[in-house]
Amino acid sequence: ETGVTQTPRHLVMGMTNKKSLKCEQHLGHNAMYWYKQSAKKPLELMFVYSLEERVENNSVPSRFSPECPNSSHLFLHLHTLQPEDSALYLCASSPPGRETQYFGPGTRLLVL
Amino acid sequence: EDQVTQSPEALRLQEGESSSLNCSYTVSGLRGLFWYRQDPGKGPEFLFTLYSAGEEKEKERLKATLTKKESFLHITAPKPEDSATYLCAVQLYGGATNKLIFGTGTLLAVQP
């Protein structure tokens, strides 16, 4: 299954900037996820939304702020990031009653 | 602590040279084990889900198997287009979310 889209695909930001990442799916999925992927590290789960309600916040710093206005859209608002936050940020979604998660292409973030 | 370990970290094969990738896990209660393929600059692409020891699934040149301690991804007569990073993830019983714990992946290169 494809159909999870992410924008932008690449982002360069300074430490004082504010930016947002967007994820969209029109697959009828009811759960959405944000992951961080850094080199040589496993994918790290950041946030989980189920039916538009945040059900998991995996000890993520407050400079990352998620928003899920409806079951098709998920945002990750970024502010005052650190260089160590540079990574690939992946969005995923899963259908009702099924555990399989389907991933978007990711946003490659570089913090200068 | 729940943990997923993949080996080897990297594997180089000649076209047609069959081999296996390993995913070993130590978890409190396995609900399911997932295999994904990830190409450079892209998000993970779902391959298989396995739920119980002894289960096997096949797709083209790939076959995934599961025991109580590990999973193998067997690649038969690989082609250069099979080159990618293969990720393993486990899902645990309990909790309100479909949380996945990922390994660091095996980078497979198939040379013509």
Side-chain angles (χ1 to χ4, degrees):
Chain A
E1 256 182 81
T2 58
V4 180
T5 59
Q6 291 187 243
T7 54
R9 294 295 311 278
H10 302 273
L11 179 63
V12 179
M13 58 187 291
M15 292 167 59
T16 58
N17 291 158
K18 290 183 181 181
K19 296 286 184 182
S20 295
L21 310 185
K22 180 181 176 182
C23 175
E24 188 170 353
Q25 60 88 12
H26 296 287
L27 302 169
H29 294 180
N30 66 346
M32 298 187 78
Y33 313 77
W34 279 118
Y35 285 88
K36 176 183 179 182
Q37 188 175 34
S38 305
K40 303 291 186 183
K41 289 186 177 181
L43 269 75
E44 301 171 53
L45 179 65
M46 300 175 71
F47 302 103
V48 182
Y49 277 81
S50 179
L51 296 172
E52 304 157 35
E53 180 180 346
R54 190 190 311 178
V55 294
E56 179 134 0
N57 176 344
N58 211 25
S59 302
V60 178
S62 59
R63 56 186 184 269
F64 296 91
S65 175
E67 179 190 3
C68 187
N70 55 62
S71 59
S72 297
H73 296 86
L74 184 65
F75 294 89
L76 188 62
H77 304 298
L78 316 172
H79 63 98
T80 60
L81 294 190
Q82 305 298 310
E84 59 264 30
D85 297 321
S86 298
L88 181 67
Y89 288 86
L90 291 161
C91 173
S93 66
S94 61
R98 289 179 57 190
E99 301 90 355
T100 304
Q101 296 177 25
Y102 297 90
F103 286 82
T107 295
R108 175 67 63 185
L109 173 66
L110 177 62
V111 182
L112 300 176
Chain B
E1 182 183 351
D2 300 314
Q3 198 167 2
V4 177
T5 304
Q6 291 188 247
S7 62
E9 283 190 21
L11 180 62
R12 182 169 293 184
L13 300 174
Q14 291 295 123
E15 185 172 2
E17 179 187 1
S18 301
S19 188
S20 296
L21 312 183
N22 178 263
C23 172
S24 64
Y25 57 90
T26 52
V27 297
S28 49
L30 181 71
R31 184 174 180 181
L33 186 141
F34 298 77
W35 281 99
Y36 286 86
R37 168 193 170 128
Q38 186 173 24
D39 292 298
K42 296 187 177 182
E45 174 190 348
F46 170 70
L47 293 174
F48 304 110
T49 310
L50 302 165
Y51 291 103
S52 56
E55 188 175 359
E56 298 183 353
K57 288 194 176 173
E58 289 189 62
K59 179 181 180 180
E60 296 180 355
R61 295 176 292 282
L62 300 178
K63 183 168 83 171
T65 62
L66 181 65
T67 73
K68 289 185 178 180
K69 294 183 179 180
E70 59 192 347
S71 176
F72 291 93
L73 185 65
H74 307 278
I75 304 177
T76 302
K79 298 181 177 182
E81 52 263 41
D82 295 321
S83 299
T85 296
Y86 290 85
L87 301 173
C88 167
V90 298
Q91 187 177 59
L92 308 181
Y93 276 108
T97 67
N98 294 333
K99 181 175 179 177
L100 294 179
I101 301 172
F102 279 85
T104 52
T106 293
L107 176 60
L108 174 65
V110 182
Q111 297 180 312

